[in-house]
Amino acid sequence: MTAILEGTDFDFLGPKHIGKVRDVYEQPDRLVLVATDRHSSFDRIIAHIPHKGQVLNEISAYWFERTKDIVPNHVIAVPDPNVTIGRKCKTVPVEAVVRGYITGVTDTSLWTHYQKGQRDFGNFRLPDGMRKNQKLPAPVFTPSTKEEAHDRPMSPQQMIDEGIVPRETIEAVERTAIALYRRGAEIAEQRGLILVDTKYEFGTDEDGKLVLIDEIHTPDSSRYWQRDTYDARFAKGEEPDYFDKEFLRLWFRDHCDPYRDATLPPAPKELVDELSRRYIQMYERITGTAFKPGELPIAARIARNLQPYALKPSR
């Protein structure tokens, strides 16, 4: 019996929206978020990774519980290993990125900009002489917009100037995001991990108060390094030990044109199994508990557990 959830089709839950990983069912005052095992790259689904959805959902549940004293979150219930019932909120159009280390290789990474000579980032300045993968003097907030086409990194002041969010909102987001990162880094340290950087999404409730939504501190939204080898590797100028999903992406890049080919080759089973193993390993490291796969078949189990959340037919 397969332990993979490719997608869902529950007609008793309301209209469905399909995201990269989650199937989201919209109800009048809440959302039913079902985490599937879809794995995306190159703007498409490249594989289905056993247990990935459960791992992401349960890691988020773990962190939501441990940060609710910092900011309220959207969680109403977690009725199934793959499902979160969340409050409906008005989304704040900001990707709240917090970084504790200077690293990265992409055009938008802090290290790339620093290498090109940038020191003033709007809401913080960095000193000269920093090295790649070095711990920052303090966590920094580097937000970007949330847009259909492409997210744009910009400073909080630029967001205010463009009318994306009011000053009080972006200041509350920055303050809250950094507090969440500090909590995450503290707990990660106890687990032998470094929380390098992460991103948060926020909404506002009916009173306009900030609410943490979506996911938190998962391997998909955050970068983690191994704590015990970091110092020695940094001293030698070596890259840290990290949670690596890139090997599957690289296989596709080497065996097809994943941006242009209409059909992709199936992902090799040994690579899919290895990635599943790594997700489970991260779950166990982060939570400090053994992973227990949910009962099979997955879709039937979820349907059963979601019966209390079925929409009543209108009369």
Side-chain angles (χ1 to χ4, degrees):
M1 193 179 294
T2 181
I4 287 179
L5 184 67
E6 295 187 10
T8 63
D9 191 17
F10 300 133
D11 57 6
F12 60 91
L13 290 173
K16 179 176 74 169
H17 309 277
I18 300 175
K20 284 183 181 177
V21 173
R22 291 171 185 81
D23 289 348
V24 181
Y25 294 87
E26 187 172 354
Q27 299 188 348
D29 58 351
R30 64 195 181 198
L31 299 174
V32 180
L33 300 103
V34 184
T36 73
D37 296 324
R38 297 192 290 265
H39 193 72
S40 69
S41 197
F42 313 105
D43 299 322
R44 66 197 296 182
I45 303 303
I46 62 170
H48 296 89
I49 310 301
H51 308 301
K52 178 186 172 181
Q54 180 179 341
V55 163
L56 295 183
N57 192 64
E58 291 190 332
I59 286 178
S60 278
Y62 171 88
W63 285 111
F64 278 130
E65 183 64 26
R66 280 154 186 79
T67 55
K68 64 185 181 183
D69 59 315
I70 296 172
V71 61
N73 58 61
H74 71 155
V75 178
I76 296 170
V78 183
D80 181 274
N82 285 69
V83 181
T84 294
I85 310 295
R87 281 191 286 161
K88 248 187 179 175
C89 298
K90 181 181 178 184
T91 303
V92 176
V94 174
E95 193 102 298
V97 180
V98 181
R99 307 176 191 274
Y101 291 73
I102 185 165
T103 191
V105 294
T106 64
D107 291 342
T108 59
S109 77
L110 204 56
W111 175 244
T112 299
H113 289 294
Y114 186 87
Q115 266 191 312
K116 291 177 179 175
Q118 187 173 348
R119 298 292 180 269
D120 188 346
F121 292 85
N123 55 327
F124 63 92
R125 285 188 65 87
L126 293 178
D128 290 333
M130 293 196 75
R131 293 167 50 203
K132 187 184 181 192
N133 302 327
Q134 185 173 346
K135 187 173 184 179
L136 293 163
V140 298
F141 179 59
T142 59
S144 61
T145 59
K146 284 179 64 63
E147 299 177 42
E148 284 291 326
H150 192 63
D151 294 346
R152 291 181 295 149
M154 56 174 65
S155 71
Q157 188 58 51
Q158 288 172 314
M159 289 191 164
I160 296 164
D161 294 343
E162 286 201 17
I164 294 168
V165 283
R167 179 178 299 278
E168 57 270 22
T169 301
I170 195 67
E171 287 179 351
V173 166
E174 176 171 3
R175 189 168 58 247
T176 306
I178 286 178
L180 289 168
Y181 171 83
R182 289 186 187 278
R183 175 69 56 80
E186 177 189 350
I187 294 174
E189 175 89 17
Q190 296 165 8
R191 305 285 185 215
L193 295 167
I194 293 173
L195 179 60
V196 182
D197 46 39
T198 191
K199 62 182 178 182
Y200 307 104
E201 293 192 28
F202 293 96
T204 52
D205 64 14
E206 57 278 3
D207 298 320
K209 295 215 171 86
L210 216 55
V211 178
L212 182 63
I213 62 173
D214 195 51
E215 63 182 335
I216 169 173
H217 298 163
T218 70
D220 279 12
S221 67
S222 313
R223 190 177 345 216
Y224 286 96
W225 292 338
Q226 300 290 350
R227 181 71 195 88
D228 59 354
T229 57
Y230 167 76
D231 291 335
R233 282 177 167 268
F234 179 71
K236 290 191 256 184
E238 296 174 354
E239 288 296 302
D241 285 323
Y242 58 97
F243 170 73
D244 181 23
K245 301 178 289 183
E246 191 72 358
F247 64 90
L248 186 59
R249 186 178 188 278
L250 294 176
W251 184 90
F252 277 96
R253 194 193 66 185
D254 293 343
H255 289 81
C256 61
D257 185 340
Y259 284 113
R260 295 185 181 170
D261 291 354
T263 305
L264 298 183
K269 183 179 184 303
E270 64 273 16
L271 297 188
V272 169
D273 290 346
E274 173 60 18
L275 189 49
S276 178
R277 187 191 68 77
R278 293 187 189 193
Y279 270 103
I280 290 170
Q281 181 184 45
M282 284 301 292
Y283 168 88
E284 294 183 337
R285 286 291 299 278
I286 289 167
T287 67
T289 59
F291 179 74
K292 295 177 183 171
E295 178 190 323
L296 299 178
I298 305 173
R301 183 199 74 219
I302 293 174
R304 186 173 66 249
N305 289 336
L306 284 179
Q307 285 307 313
Y309 301 93
L311 288 176
K312 302 292 187 289
S314 56
R315 294 187 178 182

